[in-house]
Coordinates of all heavy atoms in Angstrom, one line a residue:
P845 N 93.6 111.8 98.9 CA 94.7 111.1 99.6 C 94.1 109.7 100.0 O 93.0 109.6 100.3 CB 94.9 112.0 100.9 CG 93.7 112.8 100.9 CD 93.2 112.9 99.5
S939 N 88.1 81.1 100.5 CA 88.5 82.1 101.6 C 88.1 83.5 101.0 O 88.4 83.8 99.9 CB 89.9 82.0 101.9 OG 90.3 83.0 102.9
K962 N 87.9 93.5 91.1 CA 87.2 94.6 91.9 C 86.9 94.0 93.3 O 86.7 92.7 93.3 CB 86.0 95.2 91.2 CG 84.9 94.3 91.2 CD 83.7 94.9 90.5 CE 82.5 93.9 90.4 NZ 81.2 94.6 90.2

Side-chain angles (χ1 to χ4, degrees):
S939 177
K962 66 178 185 167

